[in-house]
Amino acid sequence: MNPVTVLLVDDHLVVRSGLKALLGTQPDIQVVAEAASGEEALVQTEQLSPAVVVMDLAMGAGMDGIEAIKQLRRRDSRQAVLVFTTYDSDADIVRAVDAGAMGYLLKDAAPEEIFAAIRGAVQGKSVMSAPVASRLFQQLRNPDEILTPREAELLSLLIEGLSNRELGQRLFISEATVKTHLAHIYAKLGVETRAAAIATAIRREGMR
């Protein structure tokens, strides 16, 4: 099996070096390039087509991570991008997800979380760092009253990046029922994707 190719984007060399060394311990993950800016990330992605781009949000002068994510996704809507940052405010999370990020990791995340997020991104799963997911789970326990209790519970579990089958197993319902609940949630929130549903729920919570 070919390894998951990764591009690291961070303006701090020490951060990139440390993360590269960490990922190097996994035989199924290969760092193929590094970039110190959003602009450089676009060039490297164009040339190397990495499976996953691990992106910081703030990178000094020039293009920031949010704009880089938008442009990467505009060029290829299938490009998996994971945010790797110290910023954990609701506003930053929403901006990143809205831009097209597949996941949101904090730089103090455990190695296992980072590995799982990268592997999950290739499979189309959205993964967030445990502290972020925990806080958002608490916020989403009382979502907009338009959602039923079951829909609210399912929405909170989306943060964990579970597949439809895993959601069904967690809630003891069939995949068909999961799909029906998701369709209702998307319709009620006025969105079309899981990431957008999460972002919308966070945004509404912030307006309370």
Side-chain angles (χ1 to χ4, degrees):
M1 180 181 296
N2 293 328
V4 177
T5 54
V6 177
L7 167 65
L8 302 180
V9 187
D10 196 298
D11 60 338
H12 291 95
L13 176 59
V14 173
V15 173
R16 297 199 311 271
S17 298
L19 186 55
K20 181 178 181 179
L22 178 65
L23 297 179
T25 65
Q26 303 301 296
D28 62 329
I29 299 176
Q30 178 185 6
V31 176
V32 294
E34 302 175 36
S37 67
E39 291 87 350
E40 190 177 348
L42 296 180
V43 174
Q44 294 278 25
T45 303
E46 183 74 23
Q47 295 177 345
L48 301 171
S49 299
V52 181
V53 176
V54 178
M55 178 86 67
D56 191 11
L57 291 184
M59 289 182 284
M63 185 185 299
D64 66 5
I66 296 296
E67 181 59 32
I69 294 171
K70 289 180 181 178
Q71 293 204 27
L72 286 173
R73 295 282 290 182
R74 193 175 298 128
R75 293 181 179 185
D76 183 356
S77 61
R78 297 168 300 177
Q79 178 64 61
V81 183
L82 292 176
V83 170
F84 188 65
T85 185
T86 57
Y87 301 97
D88 63 350
S89 72
D90 288 354
D92 287 316
I93 297 169
V94 169
R95 290 174 62 228
V97 173
D98 278 349
M102 289 289 297
Y104 199 103
L105 301 176
L106 299 182
K107 289 185 177 179
D108 61 356
E112 293 74 17
E113 286 185 81
I114 299 173
F115 303 150
I118 290 175
R119 292 170 181 136
V122 177
Q123 301 171 14
K125 295 183 178 181
S126 297
V127 181
M128 293 189 179
S129 279
V132 176
S134 177
R135 189 178 81 246
L136 296 182
F137 175 79
Q138 293 302 319
Q139 291 178 347
L140 293 174
R141 291 188 68 173
N142 297 304
D144 203 297
E145 60 273 9
I146 62 173
L147 299 182
T148 66
R150 175 63 86 184
E151 290 166 354
E153 184 179 15
L154 194 150
L155 179 60
S156 69
L157 290 176
L158 290 183
I159 298 172
E160 298 182 27
L162 302 183
S163 66
N164 286 353
R165 183 178 65 178
E166 291 167 333
L167 287 169
Q169 293 173 342
R170 182 73 66 89
L171 298 175
F172 301 102
I173 57 179
S174 69
E175 281 190 62
T177 302
V178 169
K179 292 179 181 178
T180 298
H181 283 315
L182 288 177
H184 291 164
I185 291 172
Y186 296 168
K188 290 179 178 181
L189 296 182
V191 299
E192 297 181 357
T193 66
R194 294 176 186 233
I198 293 172
T200 298
I202 296 169
R203 187 182 299 107
R204 291 190 178 194
E205 180 64 29
M207 291 179 179
R208 291 176 183 268

